[in-house]
Amino acid sequence: MTSSYGLRGRAAVVTGATRGIGWAVARALADAGARVCVSARDPDRVRRAAGELDGVGLAGDVGDPGHPRKLTELCLDAFGRLDVLVNNAATNQPYGPLMDADPGAWREAFTVNVEAPLRLVQCAWRGWMREHGGVVVNICTEGAGHVGPDVGAYGTSKAALLHLTRQLAGELGPGVRVNSVSPGLVRTEMARFVWEPGEGEIAAALPLGRIGEPEDVARAVVWLCSEEAKWITGADLLVDGGTSVRRARIAPQGARGTARPAPTTPTRPPA
């Protein structure tokens, strides 16, 4: 995927960057000219991703308090700057009803989905962005605005990340812009058990007629990181194919008067 948004000379950190949305974002940033530092848990995947992007990478868990500092230092040592931070890594555990949620797993959801992005922003701010400016994009979810079965911890933590996005935008401007992107159902391996059995029905209920691809989200992220979006901060960009408005869709000619309920909002599978 090529991009018309020039980021040549910029350096970017992307977490959860070796598959799915994170990998698409890393590739899109590289295509736009940025030098990319990737992070994920699997060392082999990190090595392959960094090599393919002609970048650098660090294997580790973003929930580890020391990982954000090491990742920031790696980017600064390799590229001499850190202009873009994309917080994509996340966990959807504990998966299931909140009444059954293990307290340790609940805390882990907030450690990975909320605390880790904050730590990474703090490190990027202290290491580069305070003096030179930059852009932060947090990957949230369309589901953060409503409830759904089995994803209470995930949705609650992502709702907190949405508020964190706005709070940081207010605190770090004008030098640093902070926004979020909230995808709907995207064709990733992680979500295969949702979209593969019922893709046709789900797609038919969406105004744009298909589920998302990782590249759909990546394009939105790159745009927010570019100068084209330089007067946007504290915003959440829905990239959901119209999921949030699907109940208003007009039935096709000849099918009007036939009630067909929209499918429930897809949930994410266990990690």
Side-chain angles (χ1 to χ4, degrees), residues 50-62:
E52 186 167 334
L53 298 173
D54 195 23
V56 295
L58 180 67
D61 185 348
V62 294

Side-chain angles (χ1 to χ4, degrees), residues 137-224:
V137 178
N138 297 320
I139 306 300
C140 293
T141 176
E142 174 270 337
H146 53 80
V147 301
D150 298 325
V151 288
Y154 180 80
T156 303
S157 64
K158 287 294 189 176
L161 183 59
L162 282 174
H163 186 80
L164 178 65
T165 298
R166 294 190 291 268
Q167 181 69 31
L168 290 173
E171 292 190 10
L172 303 185
V176 178
R177 296 190 295 108
V178 187
N179 295 292
S180 59
V181 171
S182 288
L185 180 62
V186 175
R187 192 193 308 275
T188 64
E189 188 63 32
M190 182 180 179
R192 178 178 292 277
F193 93 114
V194 178
W195 58 260
E196 193 169 56
E199 181 177 356
E201 180 184 4
I202 295 170
L206 296 176
L208 294 187
R210 65 175 176 86
I211 65 173
E213 301 291 344
E215 291 75 16
D216 293 317
V217 183
R219 292 186 186 97
V221 172
V222 172
W223 177 73
L224 282 172

Side-chain angles (χ1 to χ4, degrees), residues 15-16 19 41 61-63 87-95 104-117 139-141 150-158 161 190 268-271:
T15 66
R19 59 180 180 174
R41 292 185 180 186
D61 185 348
V62 294
N87 285 306
N88 171 71
T91 180
N92 61 1
Q93 300 297 319
Y95 185 83
W106 170 268
R107 287 191 293 271
E108 177 72 7
F110 281 82
T111 296
V112 173
N113 297 350
V114 186
E115 182 180 330
I139 306 300
C140 293
T141 176
D150 298 325
V151 288
Y154 180 80
T156 303
S157 64
K158 287 294 189 176
L161 183 59
M190 182 180 179
R268 294 173 181 258

